Amino acid sequence: MKTALITGAARGIGRACTEALAGKGYGIIINYRESEEKALCLKAELESNNTPVLAYKADVTDYFQAKAMIDKTLEIFGRLDIVINNAGASLEKLVQDTSEEEYIKIMDTNVKGVFNITKACVPVMVHNKSGSIVNISSIWGVSGGAAESVYSASKSAVIGFTKALAKELGPSGIRVNCIAPGFILTDMTNKYTQQEKDAFALNTPLCRLGTVSDVAKAAVFLASEESSFITGQVLCVDGGAVI
Ligand code: NAP
């Protein structure tokens, strides 16, 4: 059975990707950091549908925790086929109001976290001469978002990392792609008022905000053999917001 590891899998976009991949028959590694209760509930839900699941607490900003999680995955499942680098943190602040600590937290989570998980999983994928890595960026990483310069920079870095790795790992049979979601309704976007959400929807050609399921469907496509000749791409799941 092929296996998929999803970081930040207990809630939001990560949870939807996890449920969608489990529905396609993959064994699942649920990575979580703080949301233990939600992770264990999700594990029970998937296991009740006969999906083998490992739930593993690891902070993606720490390479040794990332490596230990991949080692445990190999011990339990004996293989790792798909990685969804979803864990992320956002920051909405003017650049002059952003502290060094805030900058470091965003870059550590969104860039170093993707690097750590990738560094830890690539040797096993290279050994198997196959694998698919899907990184979750953002439309702000494509177009830049006002008052989100550090977040935008971190998500642009994910795009650069994706494109470079696609070239580096293509000859080893590993595909690396990226999803750039638009405004998706999750805990991350709960801070916005209904008025702000309505304004964003109005400025979106498809006239609505995105759902976690919209992103999960794209993640399953990029993860699976359905996209077998696609690598190094950024798929915007944004209702047309970035054209
Ligand atoms: P969310 O609901 O706030 O969830 C964030 C997830 O990241 C949680 O599962 C959290 O795990 C995990 N996480 C954060 N720091 C971590 C760390 N150091 N180690 C391990 N896990 C960590 O966010 P979301 O909206 O689902 O966003 C998921 C991804 O999509 C992020 O990369 C985000 O930047 C991107 N995105 C979101 C939107 C949007 O509109 N929502 C748009 C574009 C891109 P715990 O709860 O276990 O700590």
Side-chain angles (χ1 to χ4, degrees):
M1 173 184 265
K2 287 192 172 185
T3 62
L5 183 154
I6 305 94
T7 65
R11 57 195 177 93
I13 290 169
R15 183 185 180 104
C17 292
T18 303
E19 289 175 323
L21 286 162
K24 294 286 178 191
Y26 294 94
I28 295 290
I29 301 95
I30 295 173
N31 161 251
Y32 65 97
R33 182 196 47 169
E34 287 179 351
S35 300
E36 184 152 76
E37 208 179 310
K38 286 185 175 143
L40 296 180
C41 278
L42 179 58
K43 175 176 155 71
E45 172 197 311
L46 300 182
E47 284 177 341
S48 72
N49 288 322
N50 299 319
T51 299
V53 179
L54 166 66
Y56 196 97
K57 179 180 169 77
D59 184 332
V60 297
T61 66
D62 180 336
Y63 175 71
F64 294 101
Q65 292 185 40
K67 175 77 168 65
M69 178 166 63
I70 305 296
D71 289 347
K72 191 71 181 173
T73 296
L74 295 177
E75 185 190 318
I76 302 284
F77 290 103
R79 62 187 294 165
L80 178 59
D81 303 280
I82 288 162
V83 168
I84 313 283
N85 276 313
N86 162 79
S90 65
L91 179 72
E92 193 172 347
K93 268 197 172 175
L94 298 175
V95 67
Q96 64 270 32
D97 295 338
T98 303
S99 68
E100 189 179 348
E101 289 70 28
E102 287 169 326
Y103 173 90
I104 289 169
K105 183 192 165 199
I106 294 299
M107 288 297 178
D108 269 6
T109 308
N110 296 353
V111 187
K112 191 177 165 204
V114 174
F115 164 77
N116 284 339
I117 296 289
T118 305
K119 179 176 158 74
C121 78
V122 158
V124 60
M125 289 183 171
V126 168
H127 181 262
N128 293 339
K129 286 226 162 278
S130 92
S132 178
I133 299 172
V134 180
N135 296 324
I136 308 296
S137 175
S138 161
I139 52 165
W140 300 142
V142 178
S143 66
E148 296 200 60
S149 59
V150 174
Y151 179 72
S152 299
S154 73
K155 293 299 188 178
S156 296
V158 169
I159 292 172
F161 189 66
T162 300
K163 286 176 178 284
L165 270 184
K167 291 177 180 166
E168 185 172 317
L169 298 174
S172 298
I174 301 161
R175 298 183 300 109
V176 191
N177 288 291
C178 197
I179 294 175
F183 195 122
I184 309 297
L185 291 160
T186 67
D187 294 344
M188 191 176 271
T189 47
N190 259 345
K191 61 191 172 198
Y192 295 102
T193 63
Q194 193 54 47
Q195 209 178 7
E196 288 168 325
K197 289 178 184 172
D198 290 345
F200 204 93
L202 263 179
N203 284 318
T204 301
L206 288 180
C207 305
R208 68 168 175 89
L209 302 178
T211 66
V212 292
S213 159
D214 291 323
V215 182
K217 283 185 270 191
V220 168
F221 169 67
L222 289 176
S224 74
E225 282 303 302
E226 297 295 306
S227 58
S228 56
F229 200 48
I230 299 175
T231 196
Q233 300 302 307
V234 181
L235 180 53
C236 291
V237 180
D238 64 352
V242 173
I243 292 177

